[in-house]
Tab-separated table of all heavy atoms in Angstrom:
chain	number	residue	atom	x	y	z
A	422	LEU	N	-19.348	31.734	115.544
A	422	LEU	CA	-18.750	31.012	116.669
A	422	LEU	C	-19.784	30.617	117.706
A	422	LEU	O	-19.589	29.641	118.435
A	422	LEU	CB	-17.663	31.873	117.312
A	422	LEU	CG	-16.427	32.076	116.438
A	422	LEU	CD1	-15.417	32.980	117.122
A	422	LEU	CD2	-15.765	30.742	116.091
A	423	VAL	N	-20.902	31.372	117.777
A	423	VAL	CA	-21.939	31.036	118.749
A	423	VAL	C	-22.413	29.597	118.532
A	423	VAL	O	-22.623	28.846	119.486
A	423	VAL	CB	-23.110	32.040	118.651
A	423	VAL	CG1	-24.323	31.557	119.420
A	423	VAL	CG2	-22.671	33.406	119.163
A	424	ALA	N	-22.531	29.185	117.263
A	424	ALA	CA	-22.992	27.818	116.974
A	424	ALA	C	-22.020	26.803	117.581
A	424	ALA	O	-22.428	25.793	118.164
A	424	ALA	CB	-23.105	27.611	115.466
A	425	LYS	N	-20.722	27.075	117.498
A	425	LYS	CA	-19.725	26.128	118.032
A	425	LYS	C	-19.693	26.176	119.560
A	425	LYS	O	-19.608	25.147	120.220
A	425	LYS	CB	-18.345	26.434	117.447
A	425	LYS	CG	-18.274	26.142	115.942
A	425	LYS	CD	-16.852	26.219	115.406
A	425	LYS	CE	-16.806	25.751	113.962
A	425	LYS	NZ	-15.457	25.728	113.402
A	426	GLU	N	-19.746	27.400	120.119
A	426	GLU	CA	-19.742	27.531	121.583
A	426	GLU	C	-20.953	26.808	122.175
A	426	GLU	O	-20.835	26.070	123.156
A	426	GLU	CB	-19.807	29.013	121.985
A	426	GLU	CG	-18.550	29.793	121.638
A	426	GLU	CD	-18.735	31.311	121.738
A	426	GLU	OE1	-19.893	31.802	121.658
A	426	GLU	OE2	-17.728	32.022	121.868
A	427	GLY	N	-22.103	27.035	121.546
A	427	GLY	CA	-23.345	26.461	122.055
A	427	GLY	C	-23.280	24.950	122.118
A	427	GLY	O	-23.529	24.351	123.177
A	428	VAL	N	-22.916	24.313	121.011
A	428	VAL	CA	-22.957	22.840	121.016
A	428	VAL	C	-21.904	22.271	121.970
A	428	VAL	O	-22.099	21.201	122.515
A	428	VAL	CB	-22.827	22.206	119.607
A	428	VAL	CG1	-23.897	22.722	118.679
A	428	VAL	CG2	-21.473	22.377	119.016
A	429	LEU	N	-20.826	23.004	122.206
A	429	LEU	CA	-19.796	22.497	123.119
A	429	LEU	C	-20.285	22.507	124.573
A	429	LEU	O	-20.085	21.541	125.303
A	429	LEU	CB	-18.512	23.330	123.009
A	429	LEU	CG	-17.396	22.842	123.918
A	429	LEU	CD1	-16.734	21.600	123.331
A	429	LEU	CD2	-16.343	23.905	124.161
A	430	VAL	N	-20.918	23.614	125.006
A	430	VAL	CA	-21.211	23.728	126.445
A	430	VAL	C	-22.620	23.285	126.833
A	430	VAL	O	-22.907	23.091	128.011
A	430	VAL	CB	-20.973	25.174	126.982
A	430	VAL	CG1	-19.545	25.622	126.735
A	430	VAL	CG2	-21.963	26.165	126.393
A	431	ASN	N	-23.496	23.074	125.853
A	431	ASN	CA	-24.894	22.767	126.181
A	431	ASN	C	-25.025	21.443	126.953
A	431	ASN	O	-24.351	20.470	126.655
A	431	ASN	CB	-25.720	22.707	124.886
A	431	ASN	CG	-27.180	22.421	125.158
A	431	ASN	OD1	-27.649	21.307	124.989
A	431	ASN	ND2	-27.893	23.427	125.604
A	432	GLN	N	-25.933	21.452	127.939
A	432	GLN	CA	-26.103	20.240	128.773
A	432	GLN	C	-27.504	19.646	128.653
A	432	GLN	O	-27.886	18.790	129.423
A	432	GLN	CB	-25.827	20.610	130.237
A	432	GLN	CG	-24.396	21.069	130.456
A	432	GLN	CD	-24.178	21.719	131.802
A	432	GLN	OE1	-25.123	22.226	132.414
A	432	GLN	NE2	-22.932	21.728	132.273
A	433	HIS	N	-28.300	20.149	127.714
A	433	HIS	CA	-29.698	19.707	127.591
A	433	HIS	C	-29.970	18.921	126.315
A	433	HIS	O	-31.101	18.863	125.884
A	433	HIS	CB	-30.628	20.939	127.612
A	433	HIS	CG	-30.934	21.420	128.982
A	433	HIS	ND1	-32.003	22.237	129.260
A	433	HIS	CD2	-30.318	21.195	130.170
A	433	HIS	CE1	-32.029	22.508	130.555
A	433	HIS	NE2	-31.006	21.891	131.120
A	434	ASP	N	-28.935	18.406	125.669
A	434	ASP	CA	-29.121	17.797	124.348
A	434	ASP	C	-29.920	18.741	123.458
A	434	ASP	O	-30.881	18.342	122.766
A	434	ASP	CB	-29.837	16.436	124.446
A	434	ASP	CG	-28.932	15.380	125.051
A	434	ASP	OD1	-27.698	15.560	125.009
A	434	ASP	OD2	-29.451	14.376	125.569
A	435	GLY	N	-29.539	20.009	123.490
A	435	GLY	CA	-30.266	21.023	122.727
A	435	GLY	C	-30.077	20.834	121.220
A	435	GLY	O	-29.073	20.281	120.774
A	436	VAL	N	-31.069	21.313	120.469
A	436	VAL	CA	-31.026	21.183	119.005
A	436	VAL	C	-30.508	22.496	118.423
A	436	VAL	O	-30.927	23.578	118.849
A	436	VAL	CB	-32.448	20.893	118.455
A	436	VAL	CG1	-32.434	20.776	116.937
A	436	VAL	CG2	-33.015	19.634	119.094
Side-chain angles (χ1 to χ4, degrees):
L422 291 178
V423 168
K425 292 190 173 183
E426 292 167 338
V428 303
L429 181 77
V430 302
N431 181 258
Q432 297 167 336
H433 277 199
D434 289 338
V436 179

